[in-house]
Amino acid sequence: MTEKPVRRFLLIAGWTTASLLLAACGKPDVPANAALTPAGGPAASTAPARVYVVGTDAAYAPFESQNEKAEIVGFDIDVVKAVAHQAGFEVKFVNTPWEGIFNALQQGDRDLVTSAVTITPERRQTMDFSQPYFDAVQLIVVKQTSKVARFNDLKPLKVGVQTGTTGDEAITKLLGKTSPNIKRFELTPLALKELEAGGVDAVVADNGVVSNYVANNPAGQFKTVTDPSFTPEQYGIAIKKGNAELLAKVNQGLAGIQANGTYQALYAKYFGSASSVGIAAAAASAAAPAASK
Ligand code: ARG
């Protein structure tokens, strides 16, 4: 990214100054919904909305993936776009490898990370999170012929996970960090392909992604297995630790899209059933049928 040094400087200069500078020395991405900005639009006297760079590992359908036109799409993307619109800022999504995604946030190369990120106590030590916006739980996927009926049955088997995910944490606890039976992949779809090819016996990943994959790959002859021992998880939007201003904006946006029904409409679009209750409750009702709460 050629604008990096500029961005670094802007970060030091502070948010307000940053938008003024952007207005003065460069053309900020003109928002598609500019017409929706208050009367008069982005006039010379009004600083244009700041464009925040959002990192996402776009190989995690239906939360984030790339379509045929290489556009980044998905539930997380729609939610963050709606949050941004609600809170009055602009966003630009950048496909970012999962393994470096939190580092990019820390370095200031990304302002936000939306990537079906589970809020965990360990992650909270190095980053801040928005209010939770989705409930999830781990789900095991195996071939239909498999005898696996619970998590413990994976003990003697080869298991594929995406490196550094909560699925990785779960299997690491069961098999031990250095177990040769854990096959770690850069992307969740690579682990699933390996299951299809017979290179691993099972994959452990977030329920929404696993269910989506199984539904879309009937030829793979997969089935899913739940286990009550999996800890209920919640997704949050990650923000650089200490950036209270952006955190407040994001939370304000999230509350707004929940209050005006946008969140529920997006939920229904991706997961099939609308709900008028709270974000966490709406997510829980369809995303974690067996093992949550
Ligand atoms: N929810 C899991 C975690 O936070 C997996 C997220 C992976 N997301 C992705 N886009 N690859 O560890």
Side-chain angles (χ1 to χ4, degrees):
M1 271 186 154
T2 49
E3 81 237 27
K4 241 191 225 161
V6 179
R7 281 184 35 78
R8 285 258 158 72
F9 170 67
L10 291 180
L11 282 172
I12 295 161
W15 305 122
T16 316
T17 324
S19 30
L20 289 174
L21 280 174
L22 271 171
C25 68
K27 201 174 82 60
D29 290 4
V30 176
N33 54 0
L36 298 171
T37 52
S45 58
T46 319
R50 162 102 203 248
V51 180
Y52 289 108
V53 180
V54 186
T56 186
D57 169 27
Y60 215 63
F63 297 96
E64 45 268 335
S65 58
Q66 278 183 293
N67 65 16
E68 322 73 47
K69 289 186 253 162
E71 295 158 340
I72 300 175
V73 294
F75 177 75
D76 282 353
I77 309 309
D78 284 355
V79 165
V80 171
K81 279 182 182 167
V83 162
H85 181 66
Q86 180 75 25
F89 59 87
E90 298 297 325
V91 281
K92 175 182 152 200
F93 295 90
V94 180
N95 199 359
T96 307
W98 176 256
E99 281 190 73
I101 210 163
F102 299 128
N103 198 36
L105 187 67
Q106 199 136 24
Q107 298 302 310
D109 292 336
R110 304 288 181 270
D111 299 303
L112 297 169
V113 167
T114 184
S115 207
V117 179
T118 300
I119 303 168
T120 68
E122 300 77 47
R123 287 176 186 163
R124 270 196 193 284
Q125 291 178 5
T126 53
M127 65 196 86
D128 288 336
F129 282 102
S130 70
Q131 289 298 316
Y133 67 90
F134 198 86
D135 284 357
V137 71
Q138 294 303 303
L139 188 58
I140 303 160
V141 51
V142 290
K143 292 276 192 169
Q144 279 163 20
T145 49
S146 167
K147 293 201 166 56
V148 169
R150 54 199 186 111
F151 190 42
N152 245 298
D153 295 342
L154 298 183
K155 269 200 165 147
L157 302 179
K158 283 204 187 86
V159 183
V161 288
Q162 183 176 13
T163 310
T165 57
T166 44
D168 185 355
E169 277 172 33
I171 199 67
T172 296
K173 242 198 219 161
L174 186 75
L175 301 185
K177 200 173 175 60
T178 56
S179 167
N181 278 346
I182 305 176
K183 306 289 175 203
R184 295 186 173 87
F185 296 84
E186 234 171 275
L187 302 167
T188 293
L190 291 178
L192 292 162
K193 282 274 164 252
E194 191 68 4
L195 175 65
E196 195 158 358
V200 293
D201 306 301
V203 167
V204 179
D206 295 6
N207 57 336
V209 171
V210 164
S211 302
N212 182 267
Y213 183 82
V214 170
N216 288 314
N217 292 278
Q221 307 212 305
F222 300 117
K223 67 176 176 189
T224 59
V225 177
T226 57
D227 191 294
S229 73
F230 289 130
T231 323
E233 301 181 24
Q234 290 187 309
Y235 296 166
I237 299 163
I239 299 161
K240 188 176 183 171
K241 202 165 182 56
N243 190 349
E245 187 188 334
L246 183 53
L247 179 64
K249 280 197 221 177
V250 168
N251 279 334
Q252 178 210 326
L254 266 178
I257 66 165
Q258 189 189 352
N260 69 16
T262 304
Y263 176 87
Q264 290 79 357
L266 290 176
Y267 190 91
K269 173 180 165 191
Y270 285 91
F271 305 103
S273 68
S275 173
S276 56
V277 290
I279 283 180
S285 65
S292 126
K293 268 139 230 176

